[in-house]
Amino acid sequence: MELLEIFLKSIFIDNMVFATFLGMCSYLAVSKKVTTAVGLGAAVIFVMLVTVPLNYLLDQYILRPGALAWMGEDYAEYDLSFLTFILFIATIATMVQLVEMIVEKFAPALYNSLGIFLPLIAVNCAILGGSLFMQQKEFNNITEATVYGVGSGIGWFLAILAIGAIREKIRYSNVPPAFRGLGMTFILTGLMAIGFMSFGGMLTGGDEAPTKEVVENVTPAETVEVNEVATDSTALETVTDSLTQTVQQ
Amino acid sequence: MANTNVEKEPLFSKKNLGLVKDPLTDNNPVTVQVLGICSALAITAELKASVIMALSVVFVLGVGNVLVSLLRNAIPSSIRIIVQLVVVAALVIIVDLTLKAYMPDLAKKLSVFIGLIITNCIIMGRFEAFALGNGPWKSFLDGIGNAAGYGLILIIVGFFRELLGSGKLFGFPVFGDPVEKTGLYATGYENNGFMLLAPMALITLGLIIGFQRSRNKNLIETH
């Protein structure tokens, strides 16, 4: 349940593009066509899947204060957190290179579709942002961090896919000249972000225990209502029937 | 021959000044080159944070451009991206630690966005497009100019968002007190809290771009 929550939250509520503006450069530059947008989006998911857990391990065992305790007592007091940026970005750059080489060797077809986008990704803010937010959120274990990474990647993928599709369609609309291209894309992204804000309430419904209490409190009142309705009207019979059934159950 | 030419050119020749001035208007990195929006918009809800962010980028890009320009003949082109990333990361760490030491509150507010200067496309873009092919002084001017152009947009967006969103500038109430209904609030004016949320940053920037393009027809895209 916890994992599902992290997953959904990273896709919809903390969406990389709409909530934190990460990866905007490539989002704007590569979203003119849906096909290229899909290619870059897939590459981002893939790289996030690799780098976020890796940076989680780095953070746990090297960077955070006291993380070096596994090397022995003498190292327990070291705090290397100031090296975070350099280590994270170095990991990302090397992983991107490595992934590029592996994909080129073993999956040429995938390389042909992702290939040109992979180097672009090393400097995509969404990737570094994912790792930095992962560090800030202090996940309990590597599974949570991985799920967060994949979820953020999928969120970014959805965003670029949507704007790619809209930009292909908007070519046929009569946009005021000054807003053509970049300006309209920004405003559209803003409107989509407003849409995504409505997901904000999705996970704040409370947990299971309180809802049960509410149901128990409500049932007596409901039976009264049902009786009144049953005496008053015949049109609502079906509804009242189903309601009384649930009450009896 | 090339050497004497460089020496003859005065430090602030018209061309060199152009390096600083162009990015402020006609060749603005944010509104025209579409670079560096990533780490920028999330922190523009307040003018103060925008100014600090702008100054940080001016520092990182100015110094970084000079360093990359000095190193440009020593870097093998196959690993240049990693070298550039290390240069930026080192500079950003300096900025981050300085902010944490002298402005801990603001550093907390900017959170990961200072770190994200590393992957700010303006920085890599200028390194690749300019510093790798030009001398240190020109690269310095180019860096300052582009970072200032970026900062300018950041400050404009921050100005409108803070003014309309919370009725303040640099945390100082401009329109009066919204609770006690003084100043402009006495006439029934209300703050538009929506300006402080993420979507309005995008829409504000979209409007700024539209405004700039309506003044300068050369920038209009065909589609």
Side-chain angles (χ1 to χ4, degrees):
Chain A
M1 225 30 229
E2 193 95 317
L3 288 180
L4 186 68
E5 193 180 317
I6 292 174
F7 186 64
L8 290 177
K9 207 172 170 190
S10 59
I11 294 181
F12 293 111
I13 301 172
D14 295 334
N15 186 292
M16 279 277 167
V17 173
F18 299 131
T20 47
F21 309 106
L22 295 180
M24 283 300 269
C25 307
S26 24
Y27 169 85
L28 293 168
V30 193
S31 62
K32 278 190 183 142
K33 276 187 184 164
V34 172
T35 43
T36 48
V38 168
L40 185 67
V44 166
I45 297 182
F46 192 58
V47 174
M48 290 284 255
L49 172 68
V50 181
T51 54
V52 171
L54 209 65
N55 281 335
Y56 180 80
L57 291 179
L58 272 181
D59 185 43
Q60 287 291 309
Y61 294 107
I62 295 181
L63 289 173
R64 61 176 50 202
L68 286 175
W70 57 274
M71 283 173 71
E73 290 285 306
D74 303 342
Y75 297 94
E77 284 175 13
Y78 281 35
D79 177 4
L80 295 182
S81 51
F82 67 94
L83 286 176
T84 302
F85 297 151
I86 250 179
L87 265 186
F88 277 12
I89 197 68
T91 318
I92 290 168
T94 33
M95 280 320 294
V96 169
Q97 286 280 316
L98 208 66
V99 165
E100 195 183 349
M101 283 192 263
I102 293 173
V103 172
E104 189 180 6
K105 178 92 174 113
F106 293 105
L110 184 65
Y111 179 76
N112 284 335
S113 54
L114 292 188
I116 39 167
F117 299 118
L118 280 172
L120 243 170
I121 280 178
V123 285
N124 187 331
C125 340
I127 309 284
L128 181 66
S131 289
L132 290 175
F133 274 119
M134 173 272 298
Q135 188 192 31
Q136 206 179 46
K137 284 176 195 269
E138 296 178 347
F139 290 118
N140 297 320
N141 53 49
I142 192 168
T143 327
E144 288 184 10
T146 316
V147 167
Y148 173 75
V150 176
S152 306
I154 294 177
W156 200 86
F157 174 85
L158 280 182
I160 196 172
L161 183 65
I163 196 77
I166 294 178
R167 282 181 83 171
E168 271 195 8
K169 287 285 176 201
I170 210 164
R171 205 165 303 162
Y172 307 108
S173 317
N174 189 13
V175 180
F179 283 94
R180 265 176 210 159
L182 193 60
M184 204 61 212
T185 312
F186 267 113
I187 293 176
L188 282 173
T189 311
L191 295 177
M192 280 156 75
I194 296 175
F196 265 65
M197 277 171 66
S198 58
F199 289 117
M202 197 165 66
L203 293 178
T204 48
D207 29 335
E208 283 178 21
T211 46
K212 265 181 194 167
E213 269 175 42
V214 170
V215 169
E216 280 164 14
N217 290 339
V218 164
T219 30
E222 247 180 9
T223 47
V224 174
E225 244 177 70
V226 166
N227 290 338
E228 282 174 8
V229 171
T231 50
D232 283 345
S233 74
T234 47
L236 286 171
E237 256 180 13
T238 46
V239 182
T240 46
D241 278 349
S242 63
L243 269 176
T244 40
Q245 270 173 11
T246 50
V247 168
Q248 279 160 6
Q249 277 169 8
Chain B
M1 189 65 197
N3 256 338
T4 51
N5 265 346
V6 171
E7 278 168 27
K8 269 181 190 168
E9 200 176 340
L11 275 184
F12 290 103
S13 68
K14 212 170 180 187
K15 211 170 127 207
N16 281 351
L17 277 183
L19 288 175
V20 183
K21 260 193 292 182
D22 281 350
L24 285 178
T25 53
D26 290 347
N27 199 17
N28 189 290
V30 178
T31 59
V32 181
Q33 303 173 44
V34 207
L35 293 174
I37 300 131
C38 325
S39 55
L41 291 173
I43 47 91
T44 48
E46 273 176 41
L47 195 51
K48 195 177 171 197
S50 314
V51 172
I52 295 295
M53 188 73 181
L55 290 179
S56 311
V57 173
V58 168
F59 169 77
V60 172
L61 191 51
V63 179
N65 247 0
V66 172
L67 287 179
V68 171
S69 165
L70 289 173
L71 288 170
R72 72 184 187 280
N73 295 324
I75 307 175
S77 73
S78 54
I79 58 159
R80 66 178 194 286
I81 297 223
I82 293 188
V83 174
Q84 289 164 3
L85 282 175
V86 171
V87 170
V88 197
L91 290 169
V92 170
I93 289 175
I94 296 175
V95 171
D96 187 47
L97 292 181
T98 315
L99 281 184
K100 272 185 185 147
Y102 292 103
M103 301 175 207
D105 295 340
L106 202 64
K108 204 166 264 174
K109 210 171 274 169
L110 291 171
S111 71
V112 304
F113 291 97
I114 286 291
L116 287 170
I117 296 178
I118 298 173
T119 47
N120 191 321
C121 324
I122 290 183
I123 296 188
M124 296 303 283
R126 289 333 286 174
F127 283 4
E128 283 281 308
F130 201 90
L132 281 178
N134 287 286
W137 173 245
K138 278 190 173 175
S139 302
F140 177 71
L141 291 179
D142 179 76
I144 298 285
N146 275 284
Y150 164 86
L152 184 70
I153 298 295
L154 222 62
I155 290 169
I156 294 177
V157 177
F159 174 82
F160 283 113
R161 283 182 76 192
E162 189 175 357
L163 186 68
L164 300 179
S166 47
K168 294 174 181 170
L169 287 176
F170 289 109
F172 178 80
V174 185
F175 292 154
D177 194 328
V179 181
E180 313 221 330
K181 301 281 176 214
T182 59
L184 193 58
Y185 295 101
T187 64
Y189 175 81
E190 288 286 345
N191 284 326
N192 181 2
F194 202 53
M195 287 299 285
L196 297 176
L197 297 174
M200 283 314 286
L202 291 163
I203 293 177
T204 311
L205 187 54
L207 293 176
I208 290 174
I209 291 171
F211 178 72
Q212 190 195 9
R213 287 179 186 194
S214 63
R215 312 280 298 195
N216 186 345
K217 305 282 184 205
N218 294 331
L219 299 174
I220 291 174
E221 294 172 54
T222 46
H223 254 300

